[in-house]
Amino acid sequence: MIPLSGGIYTYLRLGLGNIAGFICVIERFFVADCLGILIMLLTFSKYTVSILPTCGSPQLLEKMIAATTLVGLTLINSYSSKLATRVSILTTFGKVAALIVICVGGVVFISKGVTTELPSGFSGTKSDPASIALAFYSALFAYDGASHLNSLIEEVKSPVKTVPRAILFGTFLIIVIYIMTNVSYLAVMTRSELLGSNAVAS
């Protein structure tokens, strides 16, 4: 383990040289991280709009909520890293709690014998290489957090023990929660409802 912060940038810089590290930083800053943040902001705004009464264009409201959230989070991060950490922990806890509620709800419905699409949920699944690659790519978005864990490795106590444990536990927890969430969806929703919904937690 390389005991330096910076995550994948540090690994690429030390392993392949400064140019590889520089390309990594540019790609993360201008492409990967920006798009990831954009997806999360739009998802958050879509869910927010879904519970609010709207009297105009929901798309305009979604964009306004996303922009306001971005500015707010930027100000929080600029003001205090401790406050930003607390906000991050709070939002992560809220997201995981919501997914657990969905999982528990699914288990309750399944225990009552409600299995709407569960028996045939994967019928018609595409198995061509392009579809499989797209499925992997989509799923990796949920697990990308593990790659950020080593970005602050210098600030972690006993990183040799803590980081691998955190990665294994976190990945296992995400796998369980996401599988149970999808099972819960298929138990209570039809595939057409699931695919047609703009606000399905994922």
Side-chain angles (χ1 to χ4, degrees), residues 73-91 152 155:
L73 291 175
T74 302
L75 291 174
I76 288 171
N77 277 279
S78 301
Y79 176 72
S80 168
S81 59
K82 287 184 179 179
L83 179 60
T85 301
R86 289 174 185 163
V87 170
S88 178
I89 291 170
L90 182 65
T91 54
L152 301 172
E155 299 179 32

Side-chain angles (χ1 to χ4, degrees), residues 162-184:
T162 305
V163 172
R165 287 177 183 173
I167 290 173
L168 289 173
F169 176 75
T171 303
F172 175 75
L173 185 65
I174 291 170
I175 289 171
V176 171
I177 288 176
Y178 274 77
I179 288 175
M180 286 304 301
T181 301
N182 283 285
V183 167
S184 299

Side-chain angles (χ1 to χ4, degrees), residues 123-139:
S123 62
T125 299
K126 297 178 182 178
S127 57
D128 59 284
S131 297
I132 292 172
L134 181 61
F136 269 105
Y137 182 76
S138 300

Side-chain angles (χ1 to χ4, degrees), residues 7-8 28 33 36 40 88 92 95 137-152 163 166-172 174 178:
I8 191 170
R28 297 292 291 191
D33 289 347
M40 287 186 279
S88 178
T92 300
K95 182 168 64 173
Y137 182 76
S138 300
L140 283 173
F141 185 79
Y143 300 95
D144 188 48
S147 68
H148 294 288
L149 190 60
N150 53 8
S151 295
L152 301 172
V163 172
I167 290 173
L168 289 173
F169 176 75
T171 303
F172 175 75
I174 291 170
Y178 274 77

